[in-house]
Amino acid sequence: FRYPGVPEIRLNTMTTEPFWVGDIEIIPIQVWHLKMPVLAFRFGQFTYITDANRIEETEKNKIRGSAVMVLNALRKEKHISHFNLREAIDLVQELQIQKAYFTHISHQLGKHADVAKELPQGMEQAYDGLEMTVDD
């Protein structure tokens, strides 16, 4: 007998193997937050990565070909467990991503308008309320 109002929870263990939610294939990507492995995800042409400072070459191959990527860029100075702005820009350029949005930003990065002037074409800072459309 279940007590009324008790939530029913079904846990699913994720690995780096792709899985489906409805008709959307989700590709987990193992990235590193210093020494801790964490998961990023690719949904069709969209890749979402936060809390990372390193990505192995085999996992970068899962990202290549993405049209849009959201990526952490904590600040300009080097950080022990997050990409800094230069590292994030370099990764976007290495992987030839057409459009990138930087997130997981610290106040140490600087004012939005000032940083925007420094970013290469196709790269922007994400912001609360940002909406985007990604074609498959």
Side-chain angles (χ1 to χ4, degrees):
F1 170 76
R2 287 183 27 85
Y3 186 81
V6 172
E8 185 175 324
I9 299 172
R10 186 177 71 195
L11 299 176
N12 295 303
T13 301
M14 288 193 302
T15 66
T16 55
E17 293 301 313
F19 60 94
W20 292 82
V21 174
D23 62 349
I24 300 171
E25 182 182 27
I26 300 171
I27 301 171
I29 304 161
Q30 183 182 295
V31 299
W32 293 94
H33 186 264
L34 187 56
K35 296 179 181 179
M36 181 172 52
V38 295
L39 292 177
F41 299 96
R42 180 169 176 170
F43 309 83
Q45 293 298 311
F46 176 75
T47 299
Y48 185 84
I49 304 169
T50 62
D51 278 344
N53 71 311
R54 184 169 53 90
I55 305 173
E56 302 290 338
E57 198 61 36
T58 55
E59 297 301 290
K60 285 181 183 178
N61 289 333
K62 296 179 181 179
I63 301 166
R64 285 184 170 81
S66 296
V68 178
M69 179 165 64
V70 171
L71 178 65
N72 65 287
L74 188 68
R75 61 187 191 189
K76 291 182 181 177
E77 295 79 24
K78 186 87 173 141
H79 190 272
I80 192 170
S81 59
H82 296 95
F83 289 121
N84 66 20
L85 184 60
R86 179 77 258 157
E87 292 165 335
I89 290 169
D90 290 348
L91 183 62
V92 170
Q93 291 174 332
E94 174 191 346
L95 298 175
Q96 300 179 331
I97 305 298
Q98 299 166 21
K99 186 70 176 173
Y101 296 94
F102 298 127
T103 191
H104 202 92
I105 296 171
S106 163
H107 67 281
Q108 296 171 336
L109 185 59
K111 293 181 179 176
H112 188 99
D114 294 337
V115 175
K117 295 174 192 173
E118 301 174 31
L119 296 177
Q121 185 175 356
M123 299 183 205
E124 299 179 30
Q125 297 164 89
Y127 54 88
D128 291 347
L130 173 66
E131 293 183 17
M132 67 184 81
T133 301
V134 180
D135 298 324
D136 279 339

